[in-house]
């Protein structure tokens, strides 16, 4: 009996002994096959030396490092070694990211008015069957007040609310729909459904009191205007109103307190009194990402406290940016992913496991949530949306100013250090905290100012092509403008964004740029041409005589609160064609090319200041890409050539990369637009920083050479106090990538760019090294993308523990026929016209089809493996092959195609294979590839599985693959699970 056959038998016999569970594999320790007793240690020793041969068919090789303790397999004979050039990389790649979304189990409602998509990963797993019956009137459904997509989300939310978790709390539901799918109407529909079921009270939390009017509009739009909405901020602290309806409040209201009348009152207690005991109505956490960091902020703790004190409430989390990082999911306590009855006893266990295992783990979370019926995530198609990064070249004048500022900050740091020493300050945390915060803020605004001129030029060009412009900022700098005005009796000659640390800074201030927002408005022709939608109350305006004055934004008859609404109307009617929005206008405002407005020009959304988090980025991007639009927007990210600015791109990239996996089930959902090339805040960034620090200090001999012209050695940093405090102290544990990228902003332009180049060279080297060794986490990969011959051969189902109900995992056996039939090869050959294109034959014989690639490289197709993964150089090919006609190639092609179905390349060339003669397996060049995948509710057995993977491979990566079979069955699962399990049985 072969080892491979033994593996399969042990697996099938022993898994079949667990008809109800897949969470106890202890019986494998005493497994036997046909009376053959298997000792785990002995079994592992037998298996390891043969592992690579077996893995080429049954295990995903590139992700399995070699076993150092294993003996090397016998070397093949010379003639086989010479010819063993078969391309054997796995058929894995990236297919399309999105799939058109249609409800798969819900059949009611009219189609959504816009094209909606779901990530291919999430579309590969089905939602649960529907058991809930809606009470919403048929007329509301048939009239399209709620689309089929919105009704589906309402059904699943209400169905999930019927579930009681093992800790006694009612299960919650997460709506992860993107902007434009209509989360507001969906939430209103859930409230209406419960109102009709007799639950007349609901809580609705959001980010702004103004959104109360949106809530009223959403209820009105679905014929539920009879449900009143009360604003908590309009109700006195002592009032416990008994009216039925929706109590609308902001997250900040949850931590509101009052000492009026000598009594300590809180909004939280007032809310609980309003709900009354045994409250089982709806609690909506709209824009729920605002409740992140739940254990470290009063607001977050209040969100958790409210859910804890109302255990039977029907909780709905709603946000397009539900959780940009695993740690921000802590407030979602009602999802039942951690806690009693789950594989993770507490949130910290869940967090540790997810962060340790990487992107694959996060993708499993999203899939498992959908399969379990607690999550739905659709979004408007990004078809037609374009994204590009515009790198800004700095002029010499700006570089001179920047370099002056860098030298001045270094001098200031030296003086502060001396002063602290003179005063004998024992604790300097506050001092340096303020210093470095000011340092970062100063260079941030300087980076933004460097891009203004290029942005204005781009905007004018786009407007000449009939488009209109939306410019995204996060902050306005108004507070510092007011401080400066107060010091200068209301006059403002130049805007200074730096703290006046020394007299020299005042001189430098004369050379610094104006406030970015005011300079933009000025360059576009003044407030008459630009719709400003920000939170500031005034602005600096240049007068005809060249002087500048601070003026209020208020208009006659309008309060400052209504200015943004009025400015939005001016932009949407086409009165103004340029809009500038800040974070204050990034929630709830629609600026898309709506079919119902006059200004239907294509929107060009320019991001001048990158947001500090993906939450804010997604919110701002969603202002210009929404339902009912004539055209999709264009997005342009402006980044200066200053290396230090990559820090701001980096933090957003990290959030978006993680966000794509957690909220859409597929990291690549945002990869085309998430600046992922600038994400350095990961383990590779940390290792790269450590390498360059040690190399510069002479502690190691770095394999990565410094950039050309790089000064090298410690001479490069001599006199740079700022970098010395950052880089040379990086051996201290608290020196992070964030600190490094912040501090290099304080270097002169040529220095920071050279240093950053050295850092990124090391960063790229480490990633490429891990890719070659199979240790790089690629997220979800598609198995044999473009191959139509993927077949599901067998499947075995096993129950898994769940919270509150059991789920199932399925072990699939999948076969992939990689070969290219003669008819297909002949058809492709008929379209080739190049001199070196066509059929080639070797002396063995071995036949192939060559297609012209780039330069002298050819793309090869073989009868047994189809398209070869890597191109072949023409000169190398002609050393072993000669060109033949199709008639000469035909018989060889057909023969090789048939023979390779069950035979390896060695047998094809030599009539035998020494490995097989020695009782081993060989799958080199075989047409048929077989894989085993574990699919279904993976999260429930995932910790056990990932621990085994880690023990065997010394890698925490879970390789998740996605495929579509010949029978049109979509599967997403983990590869190589069962065979690794046999190597290291779980006790």
């Amino acid at each position: 009996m072969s080892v491979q056959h033994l593996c399969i038998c042990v697996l099938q016999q022993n898994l079949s002994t667990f008809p109800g569970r897949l969470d106890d594999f202890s019986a494998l320790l005493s497994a036997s096959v046909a009376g053959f007793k298997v000792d785990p240690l002995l079994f592992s020793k037998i298996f390891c030396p043969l592992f690579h041969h077996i893995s080429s068919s049954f295990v995903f090789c590139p992700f399995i490092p070699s076993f150092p303790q294993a003996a090397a397999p016998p070397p093949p004979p010379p003639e086989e070694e010479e010819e063993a050039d078969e391309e054997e990389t796995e058929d894995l790649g990236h297919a399309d990211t999105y799939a058109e979304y249609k409800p798969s189990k819900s059949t009611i409602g009219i189609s959504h008015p816009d094209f909606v998509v779901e990530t291919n990963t999430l579309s590969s797993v089905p939602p649960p069957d529907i058991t809930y019956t809606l009470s919403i009137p048929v007329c509301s459904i048939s009239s399209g007040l709620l689309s089929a997509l919105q009704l589906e989300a309402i059904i699943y939310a209400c169905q999930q609310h019927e579930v009681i978790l093992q800790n006694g709390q009612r299960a919650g539901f997460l709506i992860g729909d993107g902007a434009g799918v209509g989360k507001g109407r969906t939430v209103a529909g859930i409230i209406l459904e419960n109102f009709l079921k007799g639950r007349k009270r609901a809580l609705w939390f959001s980010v702004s009191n103004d959104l109360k009017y949106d809530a009223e509009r959403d209820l009105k739009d679905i014929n539920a205007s009879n449900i009143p909405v009360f604003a908590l901020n309009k109700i006195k602290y002592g009032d416990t109103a008994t009216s039925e309806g929706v109590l609308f409040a902001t997250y900040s209201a949850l931590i509101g307190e009052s000492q009026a009348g000598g009594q300590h009152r809180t909004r939280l207690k007032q809310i609980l009194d309003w709900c009354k005991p045994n409250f089982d109505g709806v609690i909506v956490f709209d824009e729920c990402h605002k409740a992140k960091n739940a254990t470290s902020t009063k607001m977050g703790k209040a969100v958790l406290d409210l859910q804890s004190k109302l255990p039977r409430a029907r909780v709905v989390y709603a946000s397009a940016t539900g959780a940009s990082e695993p740690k921000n999911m802590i407030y979602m306590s009602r999802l039942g992913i951690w806690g009693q009855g789950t594989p993770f006893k507490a949130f910290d266990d869940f967090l540790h496991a997810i962060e340790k295992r990487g992107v694959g783990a996060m993708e499993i979370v999203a899939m498992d949530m959908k399969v379990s019926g607690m999550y739905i995530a659709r979004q408007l198609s990004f078809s037609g949306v374009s994204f590009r990064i515009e790198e800004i070249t700095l002029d010499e004048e700006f570089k001179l100013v920047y370099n002056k500022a860098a030298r001045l900050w270094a001098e200031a740091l030296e003086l502060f250090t001396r002063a602290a020493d003179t005063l004998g300050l024992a604790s300097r945390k506050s001092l340096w905290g303020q210093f470095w915060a000011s340092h970062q803020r100063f260079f941030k605004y300087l980076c933004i100012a460097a891009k203004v001129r290029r942005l204005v030029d781009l905007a004018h060009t786009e407007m000449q092509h009939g488009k209109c412009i939306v410019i995204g900022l996060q902050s306005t700098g108004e507070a510092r403008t007011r401080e400066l005005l107060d010091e200068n009796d209301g006059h403002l000659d130049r805007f200074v964004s730096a703290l006046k640390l020394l007299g020299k800074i005042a001189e430098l201030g004369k050379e610094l740029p104006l406030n970015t927002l005011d300079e933009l408005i000025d360059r576009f022709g003044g407030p008459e041409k630009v719709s400003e939608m920000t939170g500031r109350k005034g602005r600096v305006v240049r007068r005809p005589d060249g002087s500048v004055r601070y003026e209020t934004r208020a208009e006659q008859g309008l309060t400052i609160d209504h200015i943004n609404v009025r400015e939005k109307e001016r932009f949407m009617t086409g009165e103004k064609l340029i809009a500038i929005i800040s974070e204050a206008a990034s929630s709830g405002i629609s600026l898309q090319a709506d079919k119902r407005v006059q200004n239907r020009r294509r929107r060009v959304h320019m991001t001048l200041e990158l947001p500090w988090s993906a939450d804010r980025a997604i919110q701002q991007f969603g202002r210009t890409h929404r339902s009912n639009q004539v055209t999709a927007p264009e997005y342009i990210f402006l980044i200066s050539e200053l290396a230090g600015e990559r820090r701001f791109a980096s933090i957003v990239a990290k959030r978006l990369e993680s966000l794509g996996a957690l909220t859409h089930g597929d990291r690549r959902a945002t990869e085309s637009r998430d600046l992922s090339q600038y994400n350095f805040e990961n383990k590779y960034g940390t290792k790269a920083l450590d390498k360059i620090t040690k190399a510069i200090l002479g502690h190691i001999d770095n394999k990565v050479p410094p950039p050309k012209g790089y000064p090298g050695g410690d001479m490069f940093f001599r006199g740079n106090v700022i970098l010395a405090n950052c880089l040379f102290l990086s051996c201290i544990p608290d020196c992070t990538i964030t600190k490094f990228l912040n501090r290099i902003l304080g270097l002169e332009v040529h220095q920071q760019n050279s240093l950053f180049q050295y850092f990124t060279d090391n960063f790229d080297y480490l990633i490429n090294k891990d890719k070659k060794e199979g240790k790089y986490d690629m997220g979800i990969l598609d198995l044999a993308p473009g191959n139509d011959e993927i077949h599901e051969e067998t499947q075995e189902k096993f129950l898994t523990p769940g919270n509150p109900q059991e789920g199932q995992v399925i072990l699939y056996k999948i076969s992939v026929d990689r070969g290219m039939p003669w008819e297909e090869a002949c058809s492709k050959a008929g379209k080739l016209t190049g001199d070196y294109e066509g059929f080639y034959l070797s002396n063995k014989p071995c036949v192939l089809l060559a297609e012209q690639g780039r330069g002298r490289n050819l793309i090869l197709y073989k009868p047994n493996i189809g398209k070869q993964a890597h191109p072949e150089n023409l000169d190398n090919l002609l050393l072993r092959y000669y060109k033949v006609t199709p008639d000469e190639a035909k018989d060889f092609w057909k023969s090789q195609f048939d023979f390779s179905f069950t035979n390896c390349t060695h047998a094809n060339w030599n009539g035998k294979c020494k490995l097989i003669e020695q009782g081993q397996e060989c799958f080199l060049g075989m047409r048929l590839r077989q894989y085993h995948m574990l699919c279904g509710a993976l999260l429930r057995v995932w910790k056990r599985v990932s621990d085994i993977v880690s023990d065997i491979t010394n890698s925490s990566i879970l390789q998740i693959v996605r495929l579509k079979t010949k029978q049109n069955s979509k599967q997403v699962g983990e590869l190589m699970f069962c065979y690794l399990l046999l190597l290291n049985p779980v006790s």
Side-chain angles (χ1 to χ4, degrees):
M1 178 182 293
S2 72
V3 176
Q4 178 183 316
H5 187 215
L6 177 64
C7 291
I8 298 170
C9 292
V10 172
L11 175 73
Q12 290 176 337
Q13 285 197 11
N14 286 280
L15 286 186
S16 65
T17 65
F18 303 102
R21 299 281 181 186
L22 193 65
D23 60 341
D24 181 8
F25 296 104
S26 57
L28 284 173
L29 290 170
S30 57
S32 63
V33 178
F36 182 84
K37 186 72 175 178
V38 183
D39 175 78
L41 185 60
L42 176 63
F43 185 73
S44 195
K45 286 181 179 177
I46 295 171
F47 198 89
C48 284
L50 307 175
F51 186 81
H52 286 292
H53 296 289
I54 296 170
S55 68
S56 64
S57 174
F58 287 89
V59 184
F60 179 42
C61 297
F63 288 82
I64 307 294
S66 58
F67 292 90
Q69 74 275 20
E79 66 271 16
E80 290 187 359
E81 187 174 6
E82 272 184 17
E83 295 295 336
D85 62 348
E86 196 74 66
E87 186 67 53
E88 277 301 298
T89 53
E90 294 291 334
D91 295 327
L92 288 154
H94 291 312
D96 293 336
T97 303
Y98 291 108
E100 182 180 0
Y101 185 85
K102 298 288 184 186
S104 59
K105 303 283 179 75
S106 175
T107 57
I108 62 171
I110 295 172
S111 296
H112 199 71
D114 290 274
F115 190 56
V116 175
V117 295
E118 182 183 40
T119 63
N120 259 331
T121 301
L122 278 185
S123 73
S124 300
V125 294
D129 293 336
I130 290 175
T131 58
Y132 185 88
T133 304
L134 278 180
S135 298
I136 291 175
V138 175
C139 59
S140 296
I141 296 172
S142 60
S143 61
L145 298 180
L146 287 161
S147 73
L149 268 65
Q150 292 161 342
L151 287 164
E152 181 191 31
I154 294 168
I155 290 170
Y156 278 118
C158 294
Q159 182 167 307
Q160 185 69 1
H161 288 156
E162 299 292 305
V163 173
I164 304 298
L165 302 174
Q166 289 189 19
N167 62 6
Q169 295 186 342
R170 190 181 299 278
F173 188 80
L174 170 59
I175 303 173
D177 290 341
V181 179
K183 289 190 299 295
R185 281 200 187 192
T186 301
V187 166
I190 294 170
I191 290 172
L192 172 60
E193 172 67 16
N194 280 275
F195 193 87
L196 295 171
K197 285 283 195 337
R199 293 179 279 272
K200 305 289 187 179
R201 293 170 183 245
L203 293 172
W204 190 331
F205 293 96
S206 197
V207 294
S208 166
N209 285 313
D210 293 342
L211 295 177
K212 178 237 184 192
Y213 303 106
D214 289 24
E216 289 178 321
R217 180 203 63 210
D218 290 328
L219 286 165
K220 182 181 178 182
D221 286 346
I222 63 169
N223 277 345
S225 53
N226 59 312
I227 303 177
V229 181
F230 305 100
L232 182 63
N233 68 323
K234 302 295 184 184
I235 301 173
K236 293 180 180 178
Y237 271 85
D239 188 355
T240 54
T242 56
S243 302
E244 297 173 344
V246 177
L247 187 60
F248 188 93
T250 62
Y251 289 105
S252 56
L254 270 173
I255 57 174
E257 298 182 0
S258 171
Q259 296 286 350
Q263 290 183 307
H264 180 71
R265 298 189 179 99
T266 66
R267 286 295 194 195
L268 182 58
K269 185 178 184 305
Q270 184 181 12
I271 290 169
L272 292 170
D273 289 343
W274 185 81
C275 290
K276 296 184 177 180
N278 300 318
F279 176 74
D280 66 348
V282 178
I283 301 180
V284 178
F285 293 111
D286 197 7
E287 308 295 353
C288 60
H289 53 274
K290 293 293 182 179
K292 66 183 183 180
N293 305 325
T295 56
S296 58
T297 64
K298 285 182 69 177
M299 187 188 302
K301 288 175 182 175
V303 168
L304 282 174
D305 196 26
L306 183 68
Q307 294 178 81
S308 175
K309 290 182 176 177
L310 299 173
R312 292 305 169 108
R314 289 166 158 79
V315 175
V316 177
Y317 309 104
S319 174
T321 57
S324 55
E325 284 188 302
K327 67 181 182 182
N328 293 338
M329 292 182 72
I330 187 169
Y331 63 87
M332 298 183 186
S333 58
R334 295 296 187 89
L335 294 182
I337 297 175
W338 56 87
Q340 188 177 341
T342 73
F344 310 103
K345 292 182 180 178
F347 176 76
D348 285 344
D349 298 322
F350 167 77
L351 179 63
H352 175 71
I354 296 297
E355 290 186 334
K356 181 181 177 184
R357 305 300 178 189
V359 175
M362 294 191 293
E363 290 166 338
I364 290 175
V365 172
M367 291 186 294
D368 194 85
M369 286 166 62
K370 180 185 175 182
V371 168
S372 302
M374 65 178 73
Y375 174 61
I376 203 162
R378 297 78 52 95
Q379 67 182 68
L380 285 185
S381 168
F382 274 79
S383 175
V385 175
S386 68
F387 298 86
R388 78 175 193 262
I389 292 174
E390 189 79 21
E391 295 225 8
I392 310 299
T393 304
L394 304 176
D395 57 43
E396 291 305 316
E397 182 183 350
F398 185 87
K399 287 181 182 178
L400 287 173
V401 173
Y402 194 99
N403 291 344
K404 278 185 185 178
R407 290 192 291 270
L408 198 53
W409 275 96
E411 186 179 339
L413 176 60
E414 211 170 349
L415 290 172
F416 266 66
T417 305
R418 246 186 271 157
D421 291 341
T422 303
L423 293 172
L425 290 179
S427 175
R428 306 183 185 186
K429 186 175 180 180
S430 176
L431 169 69
W432 294 126
Q434 291 184 48
F435 179 89
W436 289 115
S438 300
H439 173 271
Q440 180 180 332
R441 190 164 53 241
F442 173 89
F443 284 105
K444 171 188 167 185
Y445 285 124
L446 204 52
C447 289
I448 293 170
K451 298 179 283 188
V452 169
R453 188 178 304 170
R454 179 62 180 145
L455 180 143
V456 172
D457 291 343
L458 282 171
H460 283 310
T461 301
E462 297 292 354
M463 291 174 70
Q464 287 170 9
H465 289 96
K467 302 171 187 175
C468 60
I469 309 300
V470 177
I471 301 168
L473 286 165
Q474 287 299 300
S475 49
T476 61
E478 183 183 30
R480 287 171 188 79
T481 306
R482 291 298 308 164
E483 287 174 14
L484 194 63
L485 287 166
D486 292 341
E487 295 170 12
N488 292 278
D489 300 321
H491 295 277
L492 183 66
D493 295 320
R494 300 291 274 173
F495 175 66
V496 182
S497 58
L499 296 175
K500 293 187 176 179
L501 299 170
L502 301 165
K504 291 180 181 179
I505 292 182
E507 291 300 312
L508 175 65
K510 295 176 182 178
E511 300 180 50
L512 293 175
L514 288 168
N515 172 292
T516 300
L517 180 51
D518 291 320
E519 185 173 5
L520 276 173
I521 294 174
D522 183 50
R523 283 175 177 261
F524 283 125
E528 298 78 21
K529 301 286 186 182
V530 180
S531 286
E532 178 187 341
M533 286 163 269
T534 69
R536 66 177 187 167
K537 296 179 180 178
R539 59 182 159 227
V540 176
V541 180
R542 188 183 299 278
R543 295 189 170 183
D545 61 2
S547 63
V548 288
R549 285 278 178 176
Y550 182 84
E551 297 178 356
T552 179
R553 286 184 61 214
E555 299 178 22
Q556 190 173 4
L558 292 175
T559 65
I560 194 68
D561 295 335
H562 290 90
I563 291 298
N564 286 344
V565 176
R566 185 71 187 94
E567 288 290 0
K568 175 199 165 185
E569 291 172 0
R570 289 169 178 152
F571 178 74
M572 299 300 270
T573 59
E575 182 182 335
K576 298 180 180 181
L577 297 177
I578 299 170
I580 300 179
I581 60 174
S582 70
E583 187 185 3
S586 292
S587 291
I589 195 167
S590 301
L591 299 175
Q592 81 273 30
D594 199 309
K595 296 172 184 174
R596 298 163 293 188
V597 301
Q598 290 173 262
N599 178 12
R600 300 180 192 176
R601 292 184 174 211
R602 185 170 193 183
R603 273 49 170 168
V604 180
H605 192 141
M606 299 183 179
T607 303
L608 184 63
E609 179 185 357
L610 288 162
W612 284 102
S613 73
D615 298 347
R616 295 178 181 179
I618 292 294
Q619 287 295 330
Q620 199 175 91
F621 300 160
R623 300 311 100 212
T624 49
H625 182 50
R626 303 179 72 80
S627 282
N628 211 43
Q629 61 194 11
V630 178
T631 56
E634 297 176 33
Y635 292 102
I636 302 176
F637 301 93
L638 290 98
I639 299 178
S640 76
E641 66 175 288
L642 287 165
E645 196 187 7
R646 300 303 206 293
R647 183 265 177 276
F648 304 114
S650 173
I651 192 168
V652 177
K654 181 185 178 187
R655 301 295 191 273
L656 281 171
E657 186 173 49
S658 186
L659 177 72
L662 263 178
T663 62
H664 296 296
D666 189 340
R667 175 181 59 156
R668 294 172 292 107
T670 54
E671 207 166 59
S672 63
R673 58 185 186 278
D674 73 349
L675 308 175
S676 59
Q677 61 185 307
Y678 299 112
N679 183 14
F680 306 111
E681 295 189 81
N682 52 37
K683 66 179 182 180
Y684 297 106
T686 303
K687 287 180 182 177
L689 176 58
D690 184 59
K691 275 173 65 73
I692 66 169
T693 304
K694 289 176 178 175
I696 289 167
L697 293 174
H699 296 166
I700 61 169
D701 183 18
N702 196 355
K703 292 181 181 178
V704 181
K708 291 180 180 178
Y710 183 75
D714 63 350
M715 289 297 293
F716 177 73
F717 305 107
R718 189 164 292 169
N720 280 294
V721 185
I722 286 185
L723 193 66
N725 274 272
C726 164
L727 196 60
F728 291 164
L729 296 180
S730 63
C731 52
I732 297 174
D734 68 347
C735 189
T736 62
I737 289 296
T738 302
K739 184 179 289 187
F740 168 68
L741 293 173
N742 276 339
R743 302 283 175 86
I744 66 171
L745 282 167
L747 288 177
E748 295 180 34
V749 174
H750 66 287
Q751 291 177 330
Q752 67 171 274
N753 286 353
S754 292
L755 178 61
F756 188 77
Q757 181 65 51
Y758 192 34
F759 168 73
T760 54
D761 286 348
N762 278 270
F763 180 83
D764 293 339
Y765 168 82
L766 291 168
I767 288 179
N768 290 332
K769 182 172 177 287
D770 266 14
K771 283 182 177 178
K772 288 176 183 176
E773 295 175 3
K775 297 178 182 177
Y776 187 70
D777 187 354
M778 298 287 287
I780 290 184
L781 293 173
D782 295 278
L783 182 65
N787 190 326
D788 295 329
E789 296 298 324
I790 302 176
H791 302 267
E792 177 188 312
E793 294 191 6
T794 62
Q795 60 170 274
E796 295 181 70
K797 297 181 179 180
F798 305 93
L799 295 179
T800 63
N803 183 14
Q805 67 273 346
E806 293 178 331
Q808 67 177 15
V809 290
I810 306 171
L811 182 64
Y812 288 98
K813 182 179 178 182
I814 303 292
S815 66
V816 180
D817 187 342
R818 308 183 295 165
M820 176 181 273
W822 169 251
E823 293 74 20
E824 186 181 340
C826 217
S827 173
K828 176 173 280 293
K831 300 172 185 176
L832 304 178
T833 58
D835 292 340
Y836 295 101
E837 294 182 313
F839 291 100
Y840 286 79
L841 197 65
S842 72
N843 293 325
K844 275 300 181 182
C846 181
V847 65
L848 57 82
L849 176 64
E851 179 183 20
Q852 186 64 52
R854 291 185 178 181
R856 290 180 64 80
N857 284 340
L858 296 170
I859 299 167
L860 305 185
Y861 299 85
K862 297 184 179 181
N864 54 332
I865 65 169
K867 183 179 178 181
Q868 189 167 292
H870 300 293
E872 180 75 66
N873 181 271
L874 174 62
D875 296 333
N876 291 338
L877 183 69
L878 293 177
L879 291 174
R880 294 167 294 143
Y881 289 83
Y882 58 93
K883 198 170 181 184
V884 296
T885 65
D887 287 340
E888 292 173 301
K890 182 177 180 180
D891 290 342
F892 292 111
W893 190 284
K894 286 187 170 185
S895 174
Q896 193 175 337
F897 179 80
D898 294 335
F899 186 80
S900 64
F901 188 75
T902 53
N903 295 279
C904 69
T905 297
H906 302 122
N908 178 47
W909 289 337
N910 306 295
K912 62 180 180 178
C913 175
K914 282 207 170 185
L915 290 174
I916 292 175
E917 286 181 345
Q918 293 169 0
Q920 301 177 33
E921 278 90 3
C922 180
F923 302 96
L924 182 72
M926 278 181 56
R927 242 179 73 198
L928 188 68
R929 275 291 177 92
Q930 291 181 319
Y931 302 88
H932 286 77
M933 292 174 60
L934 195 67
C935 305
L938 292 179
L939 189 62
R940 308 187 186 183
V941 294
W942 171 78
K943 185 176 185 298
R944 200 173 283 263
V945 172
S946 59
D947 286 345
I948 295 167
V949 172
S950 182
D951 289 343
I952 299 299
T953 66
N954 295 318
S955 170
S956 59
I957 295 170
L958 285 175
Q959 184 51 50
I960 309 299
V961 296
R962 176 174 58 196
L963 59 85
K964 184 177 181 181
T965 68
K966 183 84 171 179
Q967 298 86 0
N968 283 324
S969 169
K970 291 182 177 180
Q971 304 294 350
V972 176
E974 186 197 348
L975 214 55
M976 71 186 178
F977 164 75
C978 50
Y979 297 100
L980 290 175
L981 176 63
L982 290 170
L983 288 177
N984 189 12
V986 178
S987 59

